[in-house]
Amino acid sequence: MKKLAKFLLLVVLALPLLASCNKEDEPTKSVLATILPYWNEVGFAIQLDNGESMYPAKVHVNYKAKEEAQRAIIFFSENSKPVAPFTYSVNIHGITELETKEIELASSSDDQLGEDGIEIVEAYIGGGYLNIEFKVNIDPYSKDQNHVVSLVDNQINGEPKYTSHYPLELRFKRDHSVQDNRGVAVSNIACFYIGNYNLDRLECEGYELKFLGLEDESNKDPEGVPMKSVKITPQK
């Protein structure tokens, strides 16, 4: 998780662009967590991946919680007034939402699933999600950067075969061209809800995440490019 921690640090450095000033000059921390709609006056609470929770006592940004759970990077400082039954009471100084999606069951061809290059930088299981930091190539001069990233259970050709790790495919598709076949590599994070893909039900040790590497993007084999893979196992 060192690389993901470095990514979070970069976001922290960009905090003045993401949130209002911390008027009380409190030290600001950051954490990747789940925002849950809640009955309190600000309309949400925060669930940490270790099972602890945070109550937003003061919110210094304009934020409206979604009706469903949302993964986000939370910038906060601790508040001295505890609120039961929460583990912590905090002041919120910034919220950067992350793409939060379900794992998809493939029902179409690979072309529709997306065949543009993508590279997994870091991935881990936390909070009931597969949290994946990835790199993709974009055109820095294009105004329209629409794209879709998906985590796919590709059962088009029958049930996936596996022994210890369940196979899932990280797919990327964009609707704009990239100059010079490469563009500029940028990093992002997407979080995929595990749901029915929990390891106990699948009776396996972890997940094998397959993906098409960035270096394969400009020189595809017409017979198909072999996919790379990384194996993710829960930390004990």
Side-chain angles (χ1 to χ4, degrees), residues 5 60 117:
H60 299 291

Side-chain angles (χ1 to χ4, degrees), residues 25-52:
D25 294 326
E26 300 166 325
T28 302
K29 305 175 183 179
S30 66
V31 65
L32 197 163
T34 305
I35 298 176
L36 300 174
Y38 200 67
W39 54 263
N40 60 340
E41 61 273 14
V42 297
F44 67 94
I46 299 164
Q47 185 74 39
L48 303 179
D49 288 359
N50 62 3
E52 297 177 334

Side-chain angles (χ1 to χ4, degrees), residues 36-183:
L36 300 174
Y38 200 67
W39 54 263
N40 60 340
E41 61 273 14
V42 297
F44 67 94
I46 299 164
Q47 185 74 39
L48 303 179
D49 288 359
N50 62 3
E52 297 177 334
S53 58
M54 298 195 303
Y55 177 85
K58 295 181 180 179
V59 181
H60 299 291
V61 291
N62 184 16
Y63 182 76
K64 180 176 177 58
K66 293 180 170 59
E67 294 182 359
E68 63 281 347
Q70 171 69 46
R71 295 289 275 176
I73 299 173
I74 311 295
F75 303 92
F76 68 96
S77 57
E78 293 189 28
N79 189 296
S80 59
K81 298 179 181 179
V83 177
F86 297 90
T87 314
Y88 306 102
S89 177
V90 298
N91 301 330
I92 304 297
H93 302 289
I95 296 175
T96 301
E97 290 188 345
L98 302 176
E99 192 160 14
T100 306
K101 309 181 74 172
E102 302 274 349
I103 297 173
E104 300 179 24
L105 180 63
S107 60
S108 56
S109 69
D110 281 354
D111 287 341
Q112 291 173 303
L113 292 175
E115 291 185 334
D116 292 316
I118 192 168
E119 195 84 30
I120 293 178
V121 179
E122 184 86 357
Y124 75 98
I125 302 166
Y129 293 83
L130 271 167
N131 307 280
I132 305 174
E133 181 188 352
F134 60 90
K135 283 186 178 181
V136 294
N137 287 330
I138 67 168
D139 183 351
Y141 303 104
S142 175
K143 294 182 180 179
D144 298 321
Q145 300 285 345
N146 294 329
H147 62 269
V148 177
V149 60
S150 305
L151 190 61
V152 178
D153 182 0
N154 193 350
Q155 297 187 35
I156 295 175
N157 299 316
E159 290 290 329
K161 297 178 181 180
Y162 64 96
T163 53
S164 62
H165 287 69
Y166 193 88
L168 296 168
E169 297 180 9
L170 186 66
R171 293 286 188 160
F172 179 69
K173 184 178 179 66
R174 57 171 171 259
D175 62 3
H176 62 282
S177 61
V178 176
Q179 294 182 4
D180 301 325
N181 295 322
R182 298 302 254 166

